């Protein structure tokens, strides 16, 4: 089976945006059976011990507040079950259980998940948008309350769902494992599909931002010209006036050689090792804008003896989920799942250098799509540094290493927190000779991918990021570090600092 990576899956008439409830009627992949939700294993579970503790892969995953059972664990659709399987106090022992048919009509239905909410408001107090925007009703309303309303009278999704930035902090905050981000993604998809005018400026702008991959592919054919044109004041003015894309930000520069061009020019992997293979999911940004991160990933993994595969891939779908473009996201996921599952079949684990990409492959894919092999992909995907910490003696490798003296102000992306990875960079690099590293706190950067690029969201985005800017300014040195490319944009925008990825620091320390 082949996919044309040059097919962006675009839909010129914009009519085919589907919600995930369209699964049963979506075109199946030829020859691939469609799995029902009740055939899936549990979705992503973080694999770390407590922050600060040693990584022990043999110990297996520790349940945390952000752990969620499979979508089928939501209990009976009528909500009448006495046993709340999300509640550790009442959940049955960890015996293999018969699948619960939570979606008997074959459609995704999260209304039952709303019953797990006991209105503690922990999600609301963790929401960075609600903190700065009094008008935003918060995650509890966007999630369980809306889904309860839908059960009562099948109410329309409230328009305020578009004010959620998809930072997913509410997921980690909920002590009852209510599938908040899944509810938000579904609600956004339904809102865009049913209520957003397909000829409106908002829809066109959001579709364009969601499909950054397509824009970047075209721009990267003429990167110098694209950078020149996008940097012009008149272009920024037009983008703001016509499309609602803020003129306050500098458009990220396109690299003159993409990561994949570098990879091809290099002749692919320089290490052959069928016993230790990783398939690199570079995502759009490391390919088109910061190939130095992708190159660092390859060199660091090869220095540990890994054979690196670079499979065919498309956008992880993160910006599409955030904008309710579930049809676009599904098309991208079909390519990614097929290609990455094939790499897993060749003995590779999947590693991503962007924490939003790894979260998407691990959590959002199995929450939103039924695709053959999607559960294998979820189980076998890791963030790059996480993977090295699990499989290699990084402390030993770094013990005799050194880098040029650098004071790093580190920001943990919200999507890293969701995977239990928010301390990994500090823990790994704090003993490296030459590095002084300071965690700038647990606030959200505020940009949340495409969110902070929207004119009407720019001020909110900067208000949310204010804490991070302040802590960066108070930190020693003027170099920032993070695993998320859009957090890096926001850090640079708010402080003017150079921003690095932890893999680049590892490359400097470990690669000749
Ligand atoms: S995803 Fe983030 S912005 Fe959206 S409701 Fe949850 S905490 Fe708030
Ligand atoms: S944190 Fe969870 S249980 Fe508490 S109000 Fe929010 S959704 Fe409900």
């Amino acid at each position: 089976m082949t996919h044309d990576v040059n097919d962006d899956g675009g839909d010129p008439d914009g009519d085919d945006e589907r919600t995930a409830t369209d699964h049963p009627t979506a075109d199946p992949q030829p020859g691939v059976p469609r799995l029902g939700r009740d055939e899936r294993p549990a979705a992503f579970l973080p694999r770390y011990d407590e922050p600060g503790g040693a990584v022990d892969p043999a110990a297996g995953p520790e349940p945390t507040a952000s752990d969620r059972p499979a979508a089928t664990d939501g209990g009976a659709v009528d909500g009448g079950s006495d046993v709340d399987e999300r509640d550790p106090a009442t959940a049955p022992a960890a015996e293999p259980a018969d699948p619960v048919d939570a979606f008997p009509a074959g459609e995704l239905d999260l209304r039952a998940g709303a019953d797990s909410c006991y209105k503690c408001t922990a999600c609301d107090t963790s929401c960075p948008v609600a903190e700065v925007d009094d008008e935003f009703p918060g995650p509890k309303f966007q999630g369980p309350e809306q889904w309860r309303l839908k059960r009562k009278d099948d109410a329309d999704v409230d328009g305020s769902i578009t004010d959620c930035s998809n930072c997913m902090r509410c997921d980690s905050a909920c002590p009852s494992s209510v599938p908040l981000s899944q509810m938000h993604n579904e609600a956004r998809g339904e809102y865009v599909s049913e209520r957003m005018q397909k000829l409106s400026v908002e829809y066109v702008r959001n579709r364009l931002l969601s499909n950054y991959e397509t824009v970047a592919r075209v721009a990267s054919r003429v990167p110098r010209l694209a950078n020149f044109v996008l940097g012009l004041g008149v272009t920024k003015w037009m983008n703001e006036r016509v499309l609602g894309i803020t003129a306050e930000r500098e458009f990220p520069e396109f690299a003159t050689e993409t990561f994949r061009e570098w990879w091809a020019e290099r002749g692919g992997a320089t290490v052959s090792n069928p016993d230790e293979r990783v398939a690199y999911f570079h995502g759009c940004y490391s390919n088109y804008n910061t190939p130095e991160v992708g190159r660092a990933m390859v060199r660091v993994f090869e220095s540990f003896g890994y054979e690196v595969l670079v499979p065919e891939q498309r956008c992880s779908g993160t910006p599409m989920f955030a904008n309710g473009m579930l049809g676009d996201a599904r098309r991208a996921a079909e390519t990614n799942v097929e290609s990455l599952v094939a790499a897993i079949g060749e003995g590779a684990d999947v590693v991503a250098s962007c924490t939003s990409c790894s979260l998407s492959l691990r959590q959002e894919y199995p929450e939103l799509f039924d695709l053959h092999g999607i559960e294998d992909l979820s189980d076998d995907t890791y963030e790059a540094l996480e993977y090295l910490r699990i499989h290699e003696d990084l402390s030993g490798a770094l013990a005799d290493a050194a880098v040029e003296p650098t004071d790093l102000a580190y920001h943990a992306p919200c999507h890293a927190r969701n995977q239990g990875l928010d301390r990994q960079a500090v823990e790994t690099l704090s003993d490296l000779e030459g590095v002084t590293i300071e965690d700038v706190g647990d606030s959200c950067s505020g940009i949340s991918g495409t969110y902070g690029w929207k004119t009407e969201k720019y001020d909110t985005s900067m208000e949310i990021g204010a804490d991070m800017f302040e802590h960066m300014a108070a930190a020693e040195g003027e170099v920032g570090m993070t695993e998320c490319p859009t957090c890096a944009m926001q850090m640079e925008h708010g402080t003017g600092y150079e921003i690095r990825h932890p893999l680049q620091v590892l490359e400097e320390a470990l690669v000749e």
Side-chain angles (χ1 to χ4, degrees):
M1 195 183 317
T2 59
H3 285 281
D4 178 4
V5 287
N6 294 320
D7 173 10
D8 65 10
D11 167 30
D13 63 15
D15 284 331
D16 73 346
E17 276 309 322
R18 294 169 291 179
T19 67
T21 54
D22 293 323
H23 294 164
T25 56
D27 294 333
Q29 294 180 82
V32 177
R34 183 178 299 286
L35 291 181
R37 281 183 170 261
D38 56 356
E39 294 172 77
R40 292 197 205 140
F44 160 63
L45 297 173
R47 295 178 183 229
Y48 266 165
D49 290 331
E50 291 179 4
V55 176
D56 178 7
E62 278 290 322
T64 70
S66 63
D67 291 350
R68 59 184 54 211
T72 50
D73 288 347
V77 167
D78 66 7
S81 169
D82 290 330
V83 176
D84 179 0
E85 296 181 9
R86 297 175 191 281
D87 180 352
T90 57
E95 297 267 319
D98 288 338
V100 176
D101 189 6
F103 311 109
E107 293 189 348
L108 178 59
D109 189 334
L110 291 165
R111 287 175 281 193
D115 292 337
S116 300
C117 170
Y118 53 85
K119 304 182 183 176
C120 68
T121 71
C123 54
D124 284 348
T125 51
S126 74
C127 175
V129 174
E131 192 178 344
V132 301
D133 179 358
D134 292 341
E135 305 284 309
F136 182 59
K140 179 161 64 72
F141 173 79
Q142 302 298 346
E145 287 180 4
Q146 283 222 69
W147 285 95
R148 280 197 190 106
L149 286 176
K150 288 181 73 59
R151 181 164 58 202
K152 255 165 82 185
D153 57 7
D154 211 18
D156 283 341
V157 171
D158 190 80
S160 61
I161 190 66
T162 60
D163 294 330
C164 161
S165 71
N166 201 36
C167 70
M168 297 167 78
R169 290 173 81 92
C170 48
D171 259 2
S172 318
C174 177
S176 189
S177 295
V178 174
L180 283 155
S181 63
Q182 187 180 8
M183 289 174 155
H184 299 161
N185 276 326
E186 293 292 344
R188 252 192 307 272
E190 185 175 320
Y191 180 82
V192 169
S193 171
E194 295 179 6
R195 298 193 55 200
M196 196 178 268
Q197 292 294 323
K198 303 302 178 289
L199 293 177
S200 66
V201 169
E202 186 183 14
Y203 179 86
V204 172
R205 185 266 317 267
N206 291 359
R207 194 92 193 267
L208 199 61
L209 290 174
S210 301
N211 286 281
Y212 175 72
E213 171 189 35
T214 308
V215 176
R217 187 187 308 128
V218 173
S220 288
R221 292 195 181 129
V222 282
R224 289 185 181 84
L225 178 64
N227 292 336
F228 173 73
V229 172
L230 289 168
L232 291 174
V234 65
T235 308
K236 293 193 328 187
W237 184 85
M238 288 282 286
N239 278 342
E240 175 147 312
R241 293 298 163 102
V242 178
L243 288 171
I245 296 173
T246 181
E248 299 289 338
R249 297 185 185 276
E250 297 298 324
F251 211 80
E253 288 208 348
F254 294 101
T256 50
E257 181 185 54
T258 67
F259 169 76
R260 291 188 82 91
E261 286 167 352
W262 171 80
W263 179 255
E265 179 72 20
R266 179 186 199 243
T270 61
V271 173
S272 172
N273 183 356
D275 296 329
E276 289 187 327
R277 275 187 179 146
V278 292
Y280 178 35
F281 189 85
H282 48 68
C284 302
Y285 207 75
S286 286
N287 188 36
Y288 295 114
N289 300 92
T290 54
E292 60 273 19
V293 172
R295 294 195 296 265
M297 186 277 166
V298 169
R299 288 171 180 147
V300 168
F301 273 74
E302 287 189 343
S303 77
F304 282 103
Y306 288 93
E307 178 176 344
V308 179
L309 313 178
V310 181
E312 177 188 3
Q313 58 194 268
R314 290 199 47 201
C315 172
S316 69
T318 302
M320 299 160 184
F321 297 135
N323 286 286
M325 306 291 171
L326 297 187
D328 289 343
R330 185 185 171 91
R331 282 186 284 276
E334 284 172 352
T335 298
N336 293 334
V337 172
E338 183 189 344
S339 172
L340 296 172
V341 167
I344 291 169
E346 291 171 33
D349 290 318
V350 178
V351 291
S353 49
C354 163
T355 42
S356 293
C357 291
S358 59
L359 185 62
S360 178
L361 301 181
R362 284 172 139 173
Q363 181 175 320
E364 286 166 307
Y365 276 23
E367 283 181 348
L368 294 167
F369 304 129
D370 291 334
L371 294 170
H372 181 56
I374 207 162
E375 65 280 7
D376 295 330
L377 178 57
S378 173
D379 288 346
D380 284 334
T381 297
Y382 302 82
E383 191 277 338
L385 183 53
E386 172 194 26
Y387 191 83
L388 289 174
R389 277 162 59 91
I390 291 171
H391 293 280
E392 302 299 330
D393 176 15
L394 266 186
S395 308
L398 291 171
D400 297 325
V403 295
E404 287 294 314
T406 320
D407 294 321
L408 296 166
Y410 173 71
H411 164 76
C414 296
H415 290 176
R417 288 179 194 285
N418 253 32
Q419 296 167 82
L421 306 177
D422 45 314
R423 291 290 300 165
Q424 63 167 0
V426 172
E427 288 169 5
T428 304
L429 298 174
S430 53
D431 291 334
L432 175 60
E433 189 178 332
V435 162
T436 309
I437 185 165
E438 199 168 327
D439 191 325
V440 294
D442 66 356
S443 57
C444 173
S445 77
I447 191 167
S448 288
T450 60
Y451 189 84
W453 282 90
K454 299 172 183 175
T455 301
E456 75 279 12
K457 303 285 194 290
Y458 175 77
D459 288 344
T460 303
S461 161
M462 294 302 283
E463 215 176 318
I464 293 171
D467 269 358
M468 181 188 73
F469 304 144
E470 206 175 294
H471 289 132
M472 285 181 73
E476 292 289 327
E478 298 192 348
V479 180
M481 185 172 73
T482 189
E483 293 96 334
C484 168
T486 55
C487 288
M489 270 181 217
Q490 179 85 328
M491 293 165 83
E492 186 180 5
H493 181 63
T495 62
Y497 288 7
E498 172 202 347
I499 313 296
R500 304 181 76 187
H501 190 288
L503 284 168
Q504 293 175 275
V505 181
L506 283 184
E507 180 189 25
E508 185 184 343
L510 298 174
V511 182
E512 296 297 317

